[in-house]
Every structure is written in structure tokens, then in C-alpha cells.
């Protein structure tokens, strides 16, 4: 079937076959790729509007008990200097974001499950809720936890959670992680979060060694089946100090970037009213990557508000941008970038996805 016909079906919100979505991800003709982005942008305007919401992200700690083969801060990377930002500093940063009218923030770390850590997060959440009068939205991205812990954090004020499934191809998942990392448990965590009332975000990496476009379409079907509210995803980028670097022989940054954008576009066309982030990984591969992400259908930007001194130690992948920038610079630069594509910033708002609103209004 012709690309144009598939796109037209999606624009009319008609059912499509998996093979048709695979065909869209496989497009290589430049003009057709532009048509795909244009159509996704149209659906974005219809469903979420030409507004980019900011989520200031604090990379609070690179301590991690996990050993994912692709990640630069994995437990076994002895070259990383580990840090943990203090509670006071995290709360101060949160209040800076609030003063900038960011509306919402993300707290992200490597994974830790010990009581000292989980209690510290609870205290931080309570303080942010208190000091911002409950106005600053908080998304957590702190990995796999017990239902009790997720519940405690929810009650302390967190209302969104990001936990990428990374890939829904079970076999590929086991090739990317040590044997004690469980795909099943990760899915289970998404279910726990949903049950507790969180807005749930997930995502995958694109262009992983051994991953096919059919796998990516299965990922999109998974987002649909799990009724996901938000998507945070990006191309896989090699980190030289990781085991996966040896397997990524045919790595091509341009191809990774294009696949990242195509995945955003197909998700927007197929899932329609979810929030989709234009992640930093896109900018790592292309200086205007995040703007292009917004133009391919994304509607969320996550400015880095981590103090500059920590940024070098939080490199999940090589070539992470803005390592020398301060939070103020990130804000100015991003505002200009959003102006440049004629969109506005959703200041002072939580910016829930219409998808979440619809499912909770039922
Ligand atoms: N520890 C938490 C959150 C921090 S990692 C967790 O794993 O959920 C956040 C995300 O970074 C991961 O979900 C993964 O998708 C992404 N990431 C890690 N290494 C990467 C790489 N080499 N290229 C692209 N994304 C990567
Ligand atoms: Fe740790 Fe997350 Fe990196 Fe895995 S992806 S090693 S859990 S920080």
C-alpha cells in the first residue's frame, strides 16, 4: 500500500494494520518522510495543540543498583564518579522551576530501593508540595519499586511516573540486561503505577542492536494495550564504557536520529492524544533535534535543571548536550527554540495529556 494512503487512514482516525505501521517506519524517501512528519504535526495540533509543556528535570543521583548493558551509569562502570544531590538542593531547584512557571518537574535517578533512599524521596516530595502549595507537578523516574513505595510517593504528592519498558521484545530485553533484570517485573511495575492512580509514562529506545521496525510497532501496540498516558523515548546512543558499545558496529547517528523522529510521528498518528516528549537524546544526535521532535509530533520538552557541576557524571550515553550550561541558560535557549517554530510554552500548567483526562473522566 502507498504511504500516502496509510497516512490518510491515520489522519481520518481509521484502523490500520501492523504492516502498515511498519511500512511507515521503513520509509526512506525524504519527501515521504516529510509527509509523515507533517501529518503527525496535524494530529498533534488537533489533539494537544501547538503548545510545548516544560518538565524541568533534576538528575538527582547517578547511584544505581542495576547493570543495564547500554547505560553509562550502570553499576559496573567504575569510571563514573557517583553523586547524590542533597534534599535541600533538590527542593531549592524545584522551587526555582516553580518560580520560572515550569508547571511541572521530573525527579530522575539511577535505581536504588533501600529504605534510606525511599524515605528521602518521600521527604522531598512532601516539602515540594508544601513549599509550592501543591502547584508544582512532580513526575518521578526512579525505576522499579514495590507497590508500597510507589503508594507512599503517590501520597506524598507525586502524580506521574516514567518507567520505560526499553523494548517489548522479550528476547531482546534479555540480551540488553543481566539475567536478574526482569521484563515481567518491569511490566508489573507499570501495572502497579496505573492501579495506584499515577499518570503512567513509558517508552523504548530505537535503533538498538538486533531491534527491527516490527519490534518497534509491537512497542507501539504495547503502549496502546497498556493505555499509556505519556511517552518518553529516544534513539539508542552508544556509550563507549558499556558492553553494548561492542555490539553496535553499524551504528549510524543520522539513521538513529531519523528513526527517533519517525517513531514519534507514528506514535502521534496512531495514539493521538498522549503526551510525547522530545527527549535530550534527540538533541545529542542533532543540534536542533528537540525542535524537530516537536515538529514530528512531540509536545513535551524536559529542560535540564540539574546544577551544572553534576551534569558530566550523569551521562547515560556519549555526547549528551548542554553539559556546561546552567539551568537559566537552558531555559532561555529552549524558549528561543520553541519561538522559532511558532509554538508557545505551556507555562504554569501541569499539562496533563488529554488521554489521561479522558480515561479519568469516564
Ligand atoms: N534508572 C531509571 C531512570 C534513569 S535511566 C530507569 O532506568 O528507569 C533513564 C532512561 O535512559 C532509561 O530508561 C533508558 O531508556 C535511557 N538510556 C540509558 N542508556 C541509554 C543509551 N545508551 N542511549 C539512549 N538512552 C539510554
Ligand atoms: Fe541504572 Fe536506569 Fe541506567 Fe539501568 S538505565 S543502569 S536502571 S540508570
Amino acid at each position: 500500500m502507498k504511504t500516502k494512503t496509510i497516512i490518510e487512514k491515520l489522519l481520518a482516525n481509521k484502523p490500520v494494520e501492523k504492516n502498515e505501521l511498519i511500512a511507515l517506519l521503513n520509509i526512506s524517501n525524504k519527501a515521504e518522510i516529510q509527509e509523515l512528519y507533517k501529518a503527525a504535526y496535524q494530529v498533534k495540533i488537533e489533539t494537544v495543540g501547538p503548545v510545548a509543556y516544560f518538565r524541568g528535570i533534576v538528575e538527582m543521583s547517578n547511584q544505581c543498583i542495576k547493570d543495564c548493558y547500554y547505560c553509562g551509569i550502570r553499576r559496573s562502570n567504575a569510571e563514573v564518579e557517583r553523586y547524590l544531590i542533597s534534599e535541600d538542593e533538590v527542593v531549592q531547584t524545584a522551587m526555582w522551576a516553580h518560580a520560572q512557571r515550569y508547571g511541572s518537574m521530573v525527579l530522575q535517578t539511577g535505581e536504588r530501593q533501600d529504605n534510606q533512599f525511599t524515605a528521602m524521596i518521600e521527604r522531598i516530595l512532601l516539602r515540594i508540595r508544601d513549599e509550592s502549595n501543591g502547584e508544582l507537578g512532580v513526575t518521578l523516574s526512579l525505576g522499579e519499586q514495590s507497590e508500597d513505595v510507589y503508594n507512599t510517593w503517590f501520597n506524598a504528592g507525586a502524580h506521574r511516573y516514567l518507567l520505560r519498558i526499553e523494548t517489548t521484545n522479550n528476547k531482546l530485553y534479555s540480551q540488553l540486561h543481566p539475567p536478574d533484570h526482569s521484563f515481567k517485573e518491569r511490566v508489573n511495575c507499570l501495572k502497579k503505577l496505573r492501579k495506584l492512580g499515577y499518570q503512567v509514562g513509558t517508552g523504548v529506545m530505537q535503533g538498538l542492536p538486533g531491534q527491527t521496525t516490527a519490534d518497534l510497532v509491537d512497542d507501539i501496540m504495547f503502549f496502546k494495550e497498556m493505555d499509556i498516558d505519556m511517552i518518553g523515548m529516544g534513539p539508542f546512543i552508544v556509550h563507549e564504557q558499556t558492553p553494548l558499545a561492542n555490539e553496535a558496529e553499524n551504528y549510524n547517528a543520522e539513521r538513529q536520529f531519523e528513526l527517533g523522529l519517525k517513531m514519534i510521528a507514528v506514535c502521534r498518528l496512531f495514539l493521538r492524544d498522549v503526551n510525547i516528549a522530545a527527549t535530550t537524546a534527540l538533541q545529542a544526535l542533532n543540534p536542533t533535534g528537540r525542535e524537530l521532535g516537536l515538529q514530528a509530533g512531540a509536545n513535551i520538552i524536559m529542560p535540564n535543571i540539574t546544577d551544572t557541576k553534576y551534569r558530566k557524571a550523569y551521562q547515560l550515553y556519549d555526547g549528551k548536550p548542554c553539559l556546561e550550561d546552567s539551568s537559566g541558560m537552558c531555559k532561555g535557549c529552549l524558549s528561543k527554540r520553541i519561538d522559532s517554530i511558532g509554538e508557545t510554552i505551556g507555562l504554569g500548567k501541569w499539562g496533563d495529556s488529554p488521554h489521561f483526562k479522558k480515561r479519568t473522566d469516564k
Side-chain angles (χ1 to χ4, degrees):
M1 187 177 282
K2 282 211 180 98
T3 308
K4 201 163 167 251
T5 321
I6 307 171
I7 291 179
E8 272 166 10
K9 275 209 266 184
L10 285 161
L11 279 173
N13 203 6
K14 289 198 181 131
V16 287
E17 303 287 325
K18 257 164 84 169
N19 276 342
E20 297 177 309
L21 297 182
I22 296 173
L24 291 184
L25 288 177
N26 285 339
I27 302 174
S28 57
N29 176 298
K30 295 280 171 209
E32 284 188 344
I33 293 178
Q34 289 310 316
E35 284 305 309
L36 176 69
Y37 298 159
K38 219 173 98 194
Y41 196 77
Q42 189 179 324
V43 171
K44 163 178 156 173
I45 301 303
E46 284 166 19
T47 54
V48 294
V51 183
Y53 290 100
F54 275 12
R55 320 277 189 238
I57 179 164
V58 182
E59 298 158 342
M60 185 182 156
S61 172
N62 62 1
Q63 298 165 342
C64 189
I65 58 168
K66 291 277 186 81
D67 224 4
C68 309
Y69 295 153
Y70 42 84
C71 177
I73 64 167
R74 60 198 294 270
R75 181 182 69 211
S76 300
N77 188 357
E79 292 182 53
V80 175
E81 207 180 305
R82 305 287 164 172
Y83 70 87
L84 170 68
I85 303 182
S86 73
E87 289 176 49
D88 283 347
E89 212 176 322
V90 172
V91 175
Q92 269 167 27
T93 309
M95 294 319 293
W96 179 86
H98 184 50
Q100 305 297 314
R101 305 188 61 231
Y102 273 16
S104 191
M105 70 173 290
V106 184
L107 208 53
Q108 189 175 75
T109 62
E111 195 166 301
R112 270 181 64 180
Q113 298 174 335
D114 55 285
N115 294 341
Q116 215 184 341
F117 176 79
T118 58
M120 174 177 61
I121 298 295
E122 184 188 10
R123 286 193 299 273
I124 290 173
L125 289 167
L126 290 170
R127 281 179 64 185
I128 294 176
R129 182 163 69 186
D130 187 42
E131 292 183 29
S132 78
N133 283 324
E135 284 168 15
L136 184 68
V138 185
T139 304
L140 298 179
S141 177
L142 310 174
E144 295 166 34
Q145 305 288 343
S146 68
E147 187 166 330
D148 262 3
V149 168
Y150 285 146
N151 193 34
T152 304
W153 290 345
F154 187 78
N155 290 333
H159 61 122
R160 299 191 181 116
Y161 207 101
L162 281 176
L163 184 75
R164 291 188 182 178
I165 193 66
E166 315 296 2
T167 172
T168 57
N169 177 331
N170 220 320
K171 190 162 159 256
L172 186 57
Y173 190 94
S174 61
Q175 286 164 7
L176 298 171
H177 300 96
D180 63 342
H181 294 27
S182 156
F183 174 78
K184 227 170 126 191
E185 180 48 25
R186 209 144 172 104
V187 176
N188 193 26
C189 282
L190 290 171
K191 290 184 179 157
K192 293 183 224 174
L193 290 162
R194 171 68 189 258
K195 189 176 104 190
L196 292 168
Y198 280 94
Q199 293 181 45
V200 183
T202 192
V204 294
M205 285 175 282
Q206 298 96 53
L208 288 159
Q211 186 187 44
T212 64
T213 40
D215 288 331
L216 291 173
V217 170
D218 286 339
D219 296 339
I220 299 175
M221 295 300 165
F222 174 84
F223 302 155
K224 180 98 179 167
E225 273 158 34
M226 297 286 287
D227 206 9
I228 286 299
D229 304 302
M230 339 178 268
I231 296 176
M233 59 187 179
F236 159 66
I237 303 176
V238 169
H239 188 295
E240 282 306 328
Q241 293 160 357
T242 61
L244 211 65
N246 303 325
E247 285 173 50
E249 292 148 0
N250 300 321
Y251 188 81
N252 173 319
E254 208 176 316
R255 199 180 54 213
Q256 294 294 95
F257 180 70
E258 195 171 86
L259 190 57
L261 289 187
K262 285 198 277 189
M263 185 70 173
I264 290 179
V266 175
C267 278
R268 174 61 70 204
L269 283 165
F270 186 68
L271 302 169
R272 300 182 67 88
D273 57 359
V274 296
N275 277 347
I276 303 179
T279 53
T280 316
L282 288 174
Q283 200 194 338
L285 295 176
N286 181 314
T288 56
R290 283 186 292 189
E291 296 89 301
L292 293 169
L294 293 176
Q295 288 172 310
N299 67 323
I300 303 288
I301 293 266
M302 295 156 79
N304 195 341
I305 56 171
T306 315
D307 194 281
T308 315
K309 65 178 176 287
Y310 303 111
R311 293 190 186 189
K312 276 203 184 77
Y314 199 85
Q315 293 196 66
L316 308 174
Y317 43 79
D318 291 332
K320 183 182 173 192
C322 316
L323 289 180
E324 305 297 338
D325 293 358
S326 66
S327 307
M329 284 161 75
C330 286
K331 184 183 182 228
C333 156
L334 274 172
S335 305
K336 273 196 215 117
R337 285 164 185 267
I338 287 162
D339 275 354
S340 78
I341 60 165
E343 296 202 349
T344 51
I345 306 169
L347 287 175
K349 296 192 188 123
W350 281 15
D352 292 340
S353 69
H355 185 84
F356 174 72
K357 286 201 189 116
K358 270 184 223 155
R359 81 170 167 85
T360 46
D361 285 350
K362 270 180 204 156

